[in-house]
């Protein structure tokens, strides 16, 4: 593993802007809170950027594929392929300056439950996203807000032996060059016209007001009858959006900073 460290000479936001490339699978694990007056971060102190994975594990139902950056593709079931990945690419964590030197980042969807327990669902599959999406990164950039340092970690995966050492060095130096080129005074471009009619959005729910109240009454009846003791009654809100997801993430980071936030560019989808 190759590790490089340098002082943080710009804002985290500027680092995001210069390192993120649209259309390339990227994950940002962000800590947007400011420190306390004593300089300490009460909940979180690190921001992590990982991009250009060497493989991506995707699944829809019981069908999964492991797509490699070189074009190869392995087919199997979600947890079989996940076990193979974990057994093949596990890394020791005691020789890295950060808790996450590299690895898998993504999500496990609730729909994976049908693989573990055969429970039928009448819900329509109306969101065109994988049930499982994990990007396997061989590098990571970690910003330590407390120490005001940037740590580059490069593992050289998925290569082996000397080839892994060469790849680790090359990838680390590439990231160092990118970070060194980040201007110290830059800002992101806001939405083109935040006052225009096009920026006004309509938020809708899959429940009407009456239907939601009826559902609450049915849940209370089920509880009174002893059929259930708890129900998680939820509704989905949706809205149209025609802007840039990354710019939206930056605006949310400014307007509503959170100690633990994330941005995922899955190329065909985005998660904020």
């Amino acid at each position: 593993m190759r590790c490089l460290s340098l002082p943080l000479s710009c804002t985290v936001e500027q680092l995001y802007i210069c390192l993120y490339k649209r259309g390339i699978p990227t994950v940002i694990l962000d800590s947007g809170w400011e420190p306390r007056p004593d300089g300490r971060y009460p909940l979180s102190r690190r921001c992590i950027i990982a991009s250009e994975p060497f493989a991506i594990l995707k699944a829809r139902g019981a069908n999964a594929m492991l797509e490699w950056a070189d074009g190869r593709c392995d087919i199997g079931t979600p947890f079989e392929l996940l076990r193979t990945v974990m057994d093949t690419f596990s890394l020791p964590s005691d020789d890295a300056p950060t808790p996450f030197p590299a690895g898998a980042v993504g999500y496990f969807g609730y729909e994976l439950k049908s693989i573990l327990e055969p429970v039928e669902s009448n819900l329509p599959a109306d969101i065109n996203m994988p049930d499982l999406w994990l990007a396997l990164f061989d590098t990571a950039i970690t910003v330590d807000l407390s120490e005001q340092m940037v740590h580059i970690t490069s593992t050289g995966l998925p290569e082996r032996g000397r080839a892994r050492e060469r790849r680790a060095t090359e990838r680390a130096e590439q990231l160092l060059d990118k970070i060194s080129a980040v201007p110290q005074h830059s800002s992101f471009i806001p939405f083109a016209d935040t006052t225009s009619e096009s920026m006004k959005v309509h938020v809708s729910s899959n429940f009407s007001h009456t239907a939601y109240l009826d559902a609450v009454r049915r849940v209370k009846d089920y509880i009174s009858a002893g059929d259930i003791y708890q129900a998680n009654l939820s509704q989905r809100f949706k809205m149209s959006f025609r802007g840039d997801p990354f710019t939206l993430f930056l605006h949310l980071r400014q307007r509503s900073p959170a100690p633990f936030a994330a941005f995922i560019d899955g190329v065909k989808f985005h998660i904020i």
Side-chain angles (χ1 to χ4, degrees):
M1 182 183 299
R2 185 73 188 277
C3 305
L4 302 175
S5 300
L6 65 157
L8 178 63
S9 59
C10 62
T11 67
V12 174
E13 191 175 78
Q14 290 164 356
L15 198 62
Y16 290 165
I17 294 168
C18 292
L19 293 177
Y20 172 63
K21 300 298 181 184
R22 290 163 179 80
I24 297 177
T26 302
V27 170
I28 296 175
L29 305 179
D30 178 61
S31 173
W33 271 15
E34 295 293 328
R36 297 187 309 198
D38 60 4
R40 299 181 62 187
Y41 288 81
L43 290 177
S44 57
R45 55 180 279 189
R46 296 180 178 91
C47 300
I48 299 172
I49 316 165
S51 186
E52 299 182 59
F54 63 86
I56 298 178
L57 176 59
K58 304 176 183 178
R60 196 71 183 262
N63 301 313
M65 63 178 62
L66 183 61
E67 298 179 346
W68 299 87
D70 61 8
R72 291 177 293 136
C73 184
D74 297 334
I75 305 297
T77 63
F79 293 106
E80 287 176 349
L81 289 179
L82 180 60
R83 172 55 61 186
T84 299
V85 166
M86 294 176 64
D87 291 342
T88 305
F89 300 117
S90 60
L91 290 170
S93 58
D94 54 355
D95 59 347
T98 63
F100 181 79
V105 186
Y107 67 86
F108 293 79
Y110 283 111
E111 289 74 13
L112 286 174
K113 68 181 185 303
S114 60
I115 300 176
L116 303 175
E117 184 177 353
V119 178
E120 293 186 5
S121 175
N122 296 323
L123 296 176
D126 57 347
I127 299 180
N128 189 25
M129 290 176 59
D131 299 335
L132 166 67
W133 189 90
L134 288 176
L136 310 181
F137 296 102
D138 61 301
T139 64
I141 298 172
T142 302
V143 179
D144 190 316
L145 299 173
S146 180
E147 297 180 354
Q148 289 292 291
M149 293 291 293
V150 179
H151 302 288
I152 301 170
T153 46
S154 179
T155 63
L157 293 174
E159 303 294 343
R160 300 178 182 275
R162 292 292 182 87
R164 177 180 291 187
E165 295 177 7
R166 288 194 299 270
R167 176 177 168 86
T169 299
E170 291 172 359
R171 293 273 282 155
E173 291 177 350
Q174 289 172 1
L175 292 176
L176 179 61
D177 291 341
K178 291 181 180 180
I179 294 174
S180 300
V182 174
Q184 297 187 15
H185 301 286
S186 63
S187 59
F188 68 90
I189 300 175
F191 292 113
D193 184 3
T194 56
T195 62
S196 68
E197 290 294 323
S198 63
M199 288 305 300
K200 294 182 179 180
V201 297
H202 173 69
V203 179
S204 62
S205 169
N206 62 331
F207 264 119
S208 67
H209 180 72
T210 301
Y212 186 79
L213 294 180
D214 289 341
V216 171
R217 281 191 287 268
R218 288 200 304 272
V219 168
K220 294 171 70 175
D221 290 341
Y222 287 139
I223 294 175
S224 298
D227 294 332
I228 63 174
Y229 65 89
Q230 176 182 327
N232 295 321
L233 185 59
S234 62
Q235 57 182 314
R236 180 195 298 171
F237 293 96
K238 64 180 181 180
M239 55 176 280
S240 60
F241 176 71
R242 291 179 291 176
D244 174 53
F246 180 63
T247 305
L248 176 61
F249 164 70
L250 294 178
H251 274 268
L252 287 174
R253 189 179 192 275
Q254 282 196 341
R255 298 288 184 88
S256 182
F260 302 104
F263 172 80
I264 296 178
D265 184 343
V267 181
K268 293 184 178 180
F269 65 88
H270 295 80
I271 297 177
I272 300 175

